[in-house]
Every structure is written in structure tokens, then in C-alpha cells.
């Protein structure tokens, strides 16, 4: 990271990831290096809920110090994420799979801008009509991943509130599958009767056992959840000693992974697996995959977001 | 129902079902007929949260008008449900499966009572140590069901927040399985992103299709949930026309039923299925079972609760 105060010139372009609950911006030089960064909690939901806020106003507030004093040149801003949703700044209609990175960039929309110092392009999301599914933002991470791994042939996993698995081959995103894993875990651990069974304890072996059970008895999911509660009540010392969070996490992530492993088994060849993110959640996914004998390479999530926006910028800049 | 004002004498005994969020009481004559009934929202949670409330005080407030003016005779009160939980009036430790109705009644505990006009017996809940599971209240419904169907050999389903399936044969409860079906449906339909996809529409065929999919692709549960949201966004007219509540309900109830059908398939003989309740929820369970070719007899839930308390009263009264 460089400090912008030492920069006399403005950035070549600005990368923005505008999510539901926050927005992040990066001042970029032409060589795809980061000059500076900024972020704010003013995601799509905050702006939609407050008449005094506008997307352009929030954006300028975030990047104003990077912009030239006069309007002799417009700096290109490239945005991915919820700014392109129907409830966002300007709807960028979904592209359909299969899709190549340049097709995604060509689907960008350009909102009317009052400030003469910037041009704004908002990237589209991605949809799948058969087996209905959608993403907004993750497609740009996939593009960034593909830019760094042009020969990749396999599955890319983006764990999170709505975890995504995308099939990538031949330089295109072929299809994808979303799982409500993170949201279901949050609801169950914080708002269901299982909240009484959550504490700070953790046991990897218990997590891995729950992952395996989720695959061997997939119809038992809603029953397995209740055993998290019941284990502490029946006086079964073995069961009571299992940390509830490890069982619940293993049951929920394990349900997702059991389905993915089925899809992997249907693949005509042994596919690679890439795991976006290197935090605690990605670590759990790696353990769950390992319980099924699969190895996954971890990739930094922020780096590929910026790489995906840079890839789109290059397409937009020459068109 | 008879009006108590026409009764000169007090009831022979009083039946009480004390749940988490409400309490119901019935004045009974010796022949197990209902003389009068009363209810209140003062369930276990309300009493636990308010220092000014006591279980005895709430009970007397509910049944005082049924009690004799003088204390020449004590009226037996028989209580099932959460009054016997650890956080309740007095803990009635769980009995273990397999269990016969008279063993359950013998496990009743007797709290100290200030009012000289009543005796109180609180019935125990039921636990299963292997495949940990618990119930409090439903065991009394099962006892009432068994009193009316002494030769029953099969599964009894009690749909609800925590849906229960009990294996009953030879006059005993052999084992049971709880599913978090109702609670998971409530959380997803009211608090997850899927709340945006809920409306008043309903389609039985869509529900039944979701039930079948839950069985044919059980690992896909967390993915199927997200398609409820995505269907309205991808411009797939077939998918968008499916009422979200029918898909979600079919996916969640269908997950439970898929597991039950596996257990039914393991049974050495073709087992009967009885479904407690005759409302909308029981109707959905009947449809979900029918989608798998199983027929279920519906049984009134309140009637068997009272029958179960009456069965316990007879054991307590002669001991």
C-alpha cells in the first residue's frame, strides 16, 4: 500500500466493490497496483433506507480525495456488486451462464453522473435459468481468479452467507450453485433453540464427524440439528461433551459439501478445487473437503476482487 | 362441554398441560368427561421471566373457581409439559425409552403446595440416550393415543415446532426422533432472505414436487432453499410462478418425511402411521406422506392430551 499524499497525480482508475452492507474502493494505477483504499458501511441497504443518501454522493464522499481538482479528465470507476441490483444505483441485468469474462464486462451499465471528474461503469451479475440461481459480486471474483489461473478446470468455492460453487473451464464460468449455509448457521446458532447449546468450545474431530454424518445420512439433517440441543439434556456423557458449535457447523457445512461431492463425482474428470478466502471459514471448508478426501487451494478474496475489476476495466477502457 | 355453574360439587380431578408459552386446564369428572376448561398465556417462559409470578399462583388463578370452598378434600391436579422441566416448577427427571404408560405416571413428582385444597403431580418427560433426544408433553399425548389404540403397532407423528415421530408397539414407546422442521420453516420464512419470496399463494402440486425432490436429492437441501429466492430473479417463467411458501414448506417438511420414509423402509413389517392434529399442518404432513405412497390416520391432539392425563391420573389415584 502506498500513501496517496505522496502522489501528485490522480489514479488511473478506481475499483469499487459495493455490497449489501458495505462498500470498498481502491485507487489504482494503470499497472493494477493499489495506490490507496477506502471503505464505508454505506452498502446498498443503508442507501436504500435513507432518502438523504445517494449512490453518487456516497461514492464521491469515499473517493473525492483521489480525484483531480479540475475536470480536464474523467477517472473511470468500475463497480461490482449490489450497486447493479434492481434496488441499487442502476440495474445491470444479469448475464447468463455460460459466460466469458469479456462478456460480463460488456454488460456494464453507465448511470448518469453529475460530477464531471468521473465516469462510472457498473458490472452485471450472473444468472442461471435452469436450476435457478443468481450472484452479484462473486462473478467478478471468479473473473479475477480466472485471470490469474487461465488454465483452471474445476470448481471454485466462495464460502459465505450464501456460499457459491462455480464450475470454471475453458476460460468460462459454466454454471454455479448457491447454498444458504452461512445464513442458516447464523439463524440456528443465534435465534433458534440451539442458541442455548453454543459456547466457546471447539473440537475439530467433532466437526469432521458431523461432516461425515451429513453425507452418510443426508435426510437426517433436521433431526441431527435437534440432537445438538438434546445431547446436553439426556445425560449421555459422550454426547454432552461435544461442543454444540462444532456439531452444528459440521452438520450445516457438511450438508453443502455432501452435495458438492456428489457433483464432483459426476464430473467426467478429476476436477481441481479452489477455495476463495483464507480466514476461519475457509479453513472449515478445507477441513470439510478433506474429510471427503479432497484437497483445495486457498486464494485471497480481496486480491481476486480487485483483479476481476481490473480485468473488466481493461475491457471497458479499450471499448 | 358443561358449564361449571350448574355443578354443585367440585371436579374429581384437574388435568393441566403446561407448555412453554401457554397453560391449559380441564375440570374433569371421574368418568373422564370434561366439565369445564380454562387457559392462559402464562406458560413456563412467562413465569420464569417474572419474579411476581409463581407456578402455584398461576395455577390457582386458573382453577380457583373449580375448587371446594373448604379444605375437607384435596383435588388431584395432574400436569404434563414444561412445568416439569429444569427451569419449570419442579424438575420431573426424564424417563428413558422404552417405556410403558404406567412407568411414566410413576415418575411423577409432587411439588410442595401451600393451598390445602389441591394435590399436584407433575409428569416426567421422555428421553432417549442413544441418538440423543427428548420430549416433554408429547409423551402424554402418546399415552392418550395408546389408551385409545391399545393394539397399535407403528409410528405416531406429532407435527409442530419440533416435530416428533415415536415408534409405538406392544403397549410401549420404543424410541423417537425429533426434527426441527417447524422452527426452521419459521426462521427461514420470516427472518432469512427467503422472506421476500413468501406471499399468500399456495400450490399443492408444487408442494408435492418439492417433497419428492427433498427425497431424491437430500444433500441439495441448502441449495434448494436458495432457488426459492433465485426463481423470481432469473426470468424463468415456470420457476417464478411457483409460490415460494409451497416450495419452502415442501423442501422442509419433505426433508423430514424423506428421513422417516427411510426408517419406515427399515421396519421389519409394514407399520401403521398415526398423525396427531387435524389442522392445516397435519394436512400438509398427510400430503407429504401421500407423495411417498403412505396413508396416515389423523387423531385429535387435545383429546389425546386429556386422555393421556386421565390415564396418568388413574395410575396416580390408585398408588
Amino acid at each position: 500500500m502506498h500513501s496517496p499524499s505522496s502522489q501528485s497525480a490522480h489514479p488511473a482508475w478506481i475499483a469499487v466493490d459495493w455490497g449489501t452492507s458495505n462498500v470498498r474502493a481502491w485507487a489504482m494505477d494503470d499497472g493494477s497496483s493499489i495506490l490507496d483504499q477506502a471503505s464505508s458501511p454505506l452498502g446498498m441497504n443503508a442507501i436504500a433506507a435513507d432518502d438523504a443518501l445517494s449512490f453518487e454522493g456516497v461514492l464521491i464522499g469515499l473517493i473525492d480525495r483521489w480525484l483531480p481538482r479540475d475536470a480536464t479528465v474523467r477517472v473511470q470507476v468500475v463497480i461490482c456488486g449490489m450497486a447493479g441490483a434492481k434496488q441499487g444505483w442502476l440495474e445491470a441485468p444479469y448475464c447468463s451462464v455460460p459466460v466469458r469474462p469479456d462478456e460480463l464486462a460488456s454488460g456494464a451499465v453507465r448511470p448518469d453522473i453529475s460530477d464531471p471528474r468521473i465516469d462510472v461503469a457498473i458490472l452485471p451479475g450472473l444468472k442461471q435459468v435452469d436450476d435457478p440461481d443468481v450472484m452479484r459480486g462473486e462473478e467478478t471474483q471468479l473473473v479475477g481468479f480466472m485471470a490469474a489461473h487461465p488454465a483452471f478446470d474445476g470448481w471454485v468455492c466462495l464460502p459465505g452467507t450464501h456460499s457459491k460453487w462455480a464450475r470454471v473451464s475453458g476460460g468460462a464460468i459454466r454454471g454455479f450453485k448457491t447454498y444458504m449455509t452461512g445464513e442458516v448457521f447464523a439463524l440456528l446458532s443465534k435465534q433458534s433453540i440451539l442458541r442455548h447449546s453454543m459456547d466457546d468450545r471447539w473440537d475439530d474431530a467433532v466437526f469432521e464427524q458431523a461432516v461425515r454424518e451429513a453425507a452418510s445420512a443426508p435426510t437426517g439433517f433436521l433431526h441431527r440439528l435437534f440432537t445438538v440441543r438434546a445431547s446436553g439434556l439426556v445425560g449421555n456423557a459422550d454426547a454432552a461433551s461435544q461442543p454444540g458449535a462444532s456439531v452444528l457447523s459440521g452438520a450445516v457445512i457438511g450438508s453443502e459439501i455432501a452435495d458438492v461431492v456428489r457433483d464432483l463425482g459426476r464430473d467426467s474428470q478429476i476436477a481441481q478445487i479452489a477455495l476463495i478466502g483464507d480466514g476461519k471459514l475457509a479453513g472449515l471448508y478445507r477441513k470439510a473437503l478433506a474429510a471427503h478426501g479432497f484437497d483445495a487451494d486457498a486464494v485471497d478474496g480481496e486480491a481476486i476482487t480487485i483483479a476481476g475489476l481490473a480485468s473488466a476495466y481493461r475491457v471497458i477502457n479499450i471499448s
Side-chain angles (χ1 to χ4, degrees), chain A residues 18-30:
Chain A
W18 214 313
T20 303
S21 56
N22 71 339
V23 51
R24 294 177 299 164
W26 298 271
M28 306 295 297
D29 76 6
D30 225 1

Side-chain angles (χ1 to χ4, degrees), chain A residues 256-312:
Chain A
E256 172 185 334
I257 298 298
D259 198 55
V260 169
V261 165
R262 269 168 49 107
D263 288 340
L264 288 169
R266 287 190 189 126
D267 240 324
S268 54
Q269 60 193 83
I270 294 169
Q272 297 170 270
I273 301 174
L275 196 49
I276 307 303
D278 47 12
K280 194 188 161 198
L281 184 60
L284 292 181
Y285 273 70
R286 190 200 306 264
K287 283 194 184 86
L289 285 162
H292 286 282
F294 288 96
D295 198 26
D297 294 321
V299 180
D300 177 64
E302 182 170 295
I304 61 166
T305 299
I306 297 167
L309 287 161
S311 169

